[in-house]
Amino acid sequence: MKKVAIVMGSDSDLKAMQGAMDALKALEVPYAVRIISAHRTPEAAAEFAKSAWGEGYGVIIAAAGKAAHLAGAFAANTLLPVVGVPMKSSTLDGLDALLSTVQMPSGMPVATVAIDGATNAALLAAQILALSDGALMERLAAYRTAQTEKVLEKDRRISEEYSNL
Ligand code: RP5
């Protein structure tokens, strides 16, 4: 099975990215976690992206904050799908990172999720891998059914506790 790379610009992004690790673990998708910076370790970033396909990765998740260029720097050096996660790590609450990540020029796509949207990044990565992995598609379907059940259960509980009919 192809692996997912969860790459962060800094260890200060680690906590916000826990949701991606949790989701991939729940879906039994193998993943590596790395700290690579488009600005502080630019050569490592280029090298990682160039070798990622050969190393068995199927999707790269790139999380970065502030003037966030990590996802774009990866996209420039690989044909693997890159999912960008803007981090809420700045005085601008992540809006700077969102715009830096999402506004890629035509020809260089990055699939950008919400600010701190680690879980969705992982689910999107899993959905991409599931296109050629039926067992993973079934695990994704079960994940979604469980999520639906949880919300229905909350509705039952809250409705019972708070309604005044
Ligand atoms: C980005 O700058 C990182 O992704 C992080 O979100 C932000 C701040 O990094 P630190 O100064 O906390 O290392 O490169």
Side-chain angles (χ1 to χ4, degrees), residues 8-13 36-40 63-68 70 87-90:
M8 294 158 236
S10 166
D11 59 346
S12 63
D13 301 321
I36 301 174
S37 167
H39 305 122
R40 292 166 177 157
K66 297 187 174 172
L70 185 61
M87 294 280 96
K88 191 181 178 176
S89 63
S90 72

Side-chain angles (χ1 to χ4, degrees), residues 144-162:
R144 207 168 263 201
T145 302
Q147 178 172 261
T148 303
E149 280 307 320
K150 263 187 219 160
V151 177
L152 292 174
E153 173 51 28
K154 279 180 191 169
D155 173 44
R156 279 191 285 274
R157 194 166 42 76
I158 298 288
S159 165
E160 213 174 279
E161 194 175 332
Y162 289 92

Side-chain angles (χ1 to χ4, degrees), residues 3-8 21 24 29-34 48 57:
K3 303 177 280 187
V4 172
I6 302 175
V7 187
M8 294 158 236
M21 297 173 234
L24 292 176
V29 175
Y31 59 88
V33 178
R34 300 284 307 275
F48 181 83
Y57 291 104

Side-chain angles (χ1 to χ4, degrees), residues 12-81:
S12 63
D13 301 321
L14 193 56
K15 195 168 168 232
M17 289 307 292
Q18 186 61 49
M21 297 173 234
D22 294 343
L24 292 176
K25 202 174 276 178
L27 292 164
E28 297 169 44
V29 175
Y31 59 88
V33 178
R34 300 284 307 275
I35 304 296
I36 301 174
S37 167
H39 305 122
R40 292 166 177 157
T41 59
E43 280 158 24
E47 177 50 36
F48 181 83
K50 283 178 190 168
S51 61
W53 186 80
E55 298 284 336
Y57 291 104
V59 182
I60 300 175
I61 295 173
K66 297 187 174 172
H69 297 131
L70 185 61
F74 283 158
N77 283 298
T78 184
L79 288 171
L80 289 177

